[in-house]
Amino acid sequence: MATNTAYGTVMDDSTGKTVAKSVVKAECGSTTQSTTTDDDGYFEFDNLPATTCTFVLAQEWYSITGFTIVPNDGGGDVITTSDGDL
């Protein structure tokens, strides 16, 4: 089964600072994974199903910046967004 890796950084929209220890969920079809950002606001999901995923943050005033999805099998396109595009 094809899988993807997704990663990015969580920012507080009101302060522009990264957010440590924030929960990020990846909802991909019937599969849900969650992770917590590190001290620099960085998160990463490995082995996400190669399907449409929705990424959910714990607080609505946070956003994901520099978001990237990389196919783990080397096929397909790498998808990268800039600030505010996710």
Side-chain angles (χ1 to χ4, degrees):
M1 174 189 276
T3 61
N4 294 321
T5 296
Y7 56 90
T9 303
V10 175
M11 304 285 290
D12 183 324
D13 290 340
S14 65
T15 66
K17 295 183 180 186
T18 59
V19 180
K21 310 301 182 220
S22 179
V23 175
V24 182
K25 287 185 182 179
E27 299 172 349
C28 307
S30 62
T31 302
T32 299
Q33 295 182 32
S34 64
T35 190
T36 303
T37 59
D38 67 11
D39 290 339
D40 297 317
Y42 178 83
F43 68 91
E44 184 171 322
F45 290 99
D46 292 317
N47 300 315
L48 290 175
T51 187
T52 301
C53 296
T54 300
F55 295 87
V56 181
L57 299 173
Q59 289 78 13
E60 64 184 44
W61 57 88
Y62 292 168
S63 61
I64 297 173
T65 61
F67 185 75
T68 302
I69 299 175
V70 180
N72 290 333
D73 64 0
D77 296 324
V78 173
I79 300 169
T80 303
T81 69
S82 56
D83 296 355
D85 288 342
L86 182 64

